């Protein structure tokens, strides 16, 4: 049974909210890292928190139903927030006012206005605000970024992204499988299918594509965006979206899908999940969970494999990246930074507005 750390950890970390299945994953990461210690977990409802904690062996003494009590008794330095997206803004305001750094489980926010409030709160509170995008830690995508930065394919002109899974109710923490009947039963009650709480595949997965694309392109953003979504009869949120982004260099596409034939972490579906990046001197195909990226360029027009890079410890995940920045006195960079995540949020916001208006063209200058 995991109890309060016997020796004082370098970073005292609390996990807040169990509405996102990644809460269990983050607990496992905290317990595995040498410089972090789990000092408490919080959720207002036992039915969400206790099954995960029971399975992971988290002692009852570390479980809190009152956030003020958790903070008062455990004095966390970092809060990893795994609530519904709609609750992100309230949590960031709460922790920023108390000088506690925050790592949000993706996405950044349910709206651009909430994102602005969170950034302002973090700045006024003097805390570091980071966003954990699991795709950002896949060695394939980090290797693709390194190759782009090395000039292997010249300047990026197009990015094509397709990603998703069988659906958020088909797995729990640790990618444990949930059967189709149980997933259907849970659908009406879960926040994932509630528009006002930030549900839907566009809100869930487009941020991955738009944020990493902005990272791949060194901050370059599209001029405008148009989007269409598919909602099943009776659903208030989409399970599929197609976004076209117009950049000065050409068109890029971002597609999200709940309902892929298989989950990419067990068997890559078709279309494959990941990125195809086109440059002035070559291309890169970077698939989720792959152990190599596929490259062609002026020197080697035939596609060849580049094995994924061995990642530095600070690039193992959001918590490792955040604590590395705090310990080294450096800024959080890349997709974890609020700056890149905010830029990606602008694309998501533009796409959501376009989808609500039957695919109208939305200019990024109007989403700021």
């Amino acid at each position: 049974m995991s109890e309060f750390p016997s020796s004082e950890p370098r970073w005292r970390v609390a996990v807040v909210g169990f509405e996102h299945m990644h809460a269990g994953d983050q607990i496992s990461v905290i317990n595995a890292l040498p410089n972090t210690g789990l000092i408490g977990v919080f959720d207002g409802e036992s039915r969400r928190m206790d099954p995960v904690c029971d399975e992971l062996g988290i002692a009852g003494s570390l479980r809190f139903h009152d956030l003020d009590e958790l903070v008062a008794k455990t004095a966390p330095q970092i809060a990893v927030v795994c609530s519904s997206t709609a609750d992100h803004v309230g949590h960031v305001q709460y922790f920023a006012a108390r000088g506690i750094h925050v790592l949000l489980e993706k996405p950044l926010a349910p709206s651009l206005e909430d994102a602005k409030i969170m950034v302002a709160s973090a700045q006024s509170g003097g805390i570091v605000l980071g966003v954990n995008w699991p795709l950002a830690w896949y060695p394939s995508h980090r290797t693709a970024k390194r190759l782009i930065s090395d000039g292997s394919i010249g300047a990026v002109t197009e990015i094509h992204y397709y990603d998703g899974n069988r659906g958020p109710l088909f797995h729990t923490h640790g990618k444990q499988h949930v059967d189709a009947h149980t997933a259907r039963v849970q659908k009406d009650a879960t926040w994932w299918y509630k528009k006002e709480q930030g549900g839907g595949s566009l809100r869930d997965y487009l941020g991955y594509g738009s944020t990493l694309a902005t990272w791949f392109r060194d901050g370059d953003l599209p001029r405008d965006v148009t989007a269409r979504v598919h909602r099943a009869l009776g659903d208030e949120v989409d399970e599929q979206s197609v976004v076209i982004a117009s950049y000065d260099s050409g068109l890029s596409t971002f597609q999200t899908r709940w309902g892929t034939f298989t989950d990419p972490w067990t068997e890559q579906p078709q279309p494959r999940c990941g990125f195809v990046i086109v440059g002035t001197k070559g291309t890169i195909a970077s698939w989720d969970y792959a152990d190599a990226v596929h490259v062609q360029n002026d020197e080697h027009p035939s596609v060849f494999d580049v094995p994924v890079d061995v990642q530095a410890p600070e690039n193992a995940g959001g918590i490792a990246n955040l604590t590395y920045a705090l310990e080294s006195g450096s800024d959080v960079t890349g997709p974890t930074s609020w700056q890149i995540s905010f830029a990606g949020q602008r694309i998501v916001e533009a796409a959501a507005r376009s989808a609500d208006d039957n695919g109208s063209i939305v200019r990024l200058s109007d989403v700021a």
Side-chain angles (χ1 to χ4, degrees):
M1 187 69 70
S2 178
E3 299 182 354
F4 194 84
S6 57
S7 59
E8 185 69 15
R10 174 67 181 85
W11 297 103
R12 302 163 59 84
V13 186
V15 171
V16 176
F18 282 73
E19 290 164 296
H20 200 300
M21 77 286 291
H22 290 176
D25 299 329
Q26 296 291 12
I27 289 172
S28 297
V29 168
I30 294 162
N31 285 334
L33 287 172
N35 62 343
T36 58
L38 181 73
I39 48 79
V41 297
F42 161 82
D43 196 287
E45 297 190 28
S46 295
R47 64 178 178 85
R48 290 193 296 251
M49 179 169 62
D50 286 348
V52 178
C53 290
D54 288 347
E55 186 173 335
L56 294 176
I58 304 304
S61 60
L62 298 187
R63 307 181 198 183
F64 293 83
H65 298 292
D66 183 289
L67 195 53
D68 290 335
E69 182 183 11
L70 180 149
V71 171
K73 287 187 175 180
T74 69
Q77 297 160 292
I78 298 170
V80 179
V81 175
C82 298
S83 66
S84 70
T85 309
D87 288 338
H88 281 187
V89 63
H91 284 312
V92 171
Q93 289 176 305
Y94 178 91
F95 290 114
R98 291 159 177 79
I100 299 169
H101 305 295
V102 177
L103 180 71
L104 296 170
E105 186 59 28
K106 64 85 191 168
L108 172 61
S111 71
L112 197 66
E113 289 307 310
D114 277 357
K116 291 177 181 178
I117 292 170
M118 291 192 293
V119 169
S121 297
Q123 291 177 326
S124 64
I127 67 162
V128 174
L129 174 63
V131 183
N132 184 56
W133 299 95
L135 258 67
W137 312 115
Y138 293 0
S140 54
H141 304 328
R142 300 199 75 86
T143 302
K145 171 59 175 174
R146 193 263 301 167
L147 291 169
I148 293 168
S149 298
D150 288 348
S152 296
I153 61 168
V156 174
T157 58
E158 305 170 42
I159 293 178
H160 302 284
Y161 162 83
Y162 181 97
D163 223 312
N165 51 53
R166 294 177 64 219
L169 305 180
F170 283 85
H171 61 280
T172 61
H173 68 94
K175 300 292 190 284
Q176 297 177 80
H177 173 76
V178 175
D179 65 86
H181 172 73
T182 301
R184 284 194 297 270
V185 170
Q186 294 175 340
K187 186 174 178 180
D188 289 340
T190 179
W191 73 272
W192 292 102
Y193 280 85
K194 307 295 184 186
K195 184 174 183 178
E196 66 179 13
Q197 295 185 47
S201 79
L202 185 150
R203 292 288 186 182
D204 181 28
Y205 258 89
L206 178 57
Y208 278 125
S210 62
T211 303
L212 267 70
T214 303
W215 180 49
F216 291 149
R217 302 183 75 125
D218 291 330
D220 187 30
L221 291 173
R223 296 191 310 271
D224 55 65
V225 166
T226 184
R228 296 296 297 269
V229 299
H230 171 72
R231 299 183 184 92
L233 185 65
D235 285 353
E236 60 182 71
V237 299
D238 66 278
E239 290 187 320
Q240 183 181 20
S241 73
V242 178
V243 178
I244 300 173
S246 300
Y247 292 81
D248 289 341
S249 60
L251 301 178
S252 291
T253 58
F254 306 105
Q255 298 189 54
T256 70
R257 186 70 170 105
W258 286 351
T260 56
F261 188 71
T262 52
D263 287 314
W265 50 84
T266 58
E267 182 73 30
Q268 269 283 7
Q270 296 185 113
R272 288 185 174 186
C273 291
F275 295 85
V276 174
I277 306 154
V278 180
T280 55
K281 297 181 179 179
T283 71
I284 298 172
S286 180
W287 308 122
D288 297 352
Y289 302 98
D291 54 14
V293 297
H294 312 298
V295 182
Q296 60 179 169
N297 55 31
D298 287 345
E299 290 75 27
H300 301 280
S302 296
V303 174
F304 61 98
D305 288 352
V306 176
V308 298
D309 299 338
V310 175
Q311 299 303 308
E314 64 267 22
N315 292 330
I319 298 171
N321 195 251
L322 180 67
T323 56
Y324 174 81
L326 291 170
E327 290 175 4
S328 63
S330 59
D331 292 330
V332 174
T333 60
T336 310
S337 70
W338 70 259
Q339 290 90 341
I340 297 294
S341 292
F342 186 87
Q345 182 80 38
R346 291 179 64 193
I347 298 174
V348 173
E349 185 71 18
R353 293 183 191 181
S354 173
D356 286 343
D357 194 31
N358 292 315
S360 63
I361 295 175
V362 177
R363 296 189 63 82
L364 259 290
S365 59
D366 295 330
V367 184

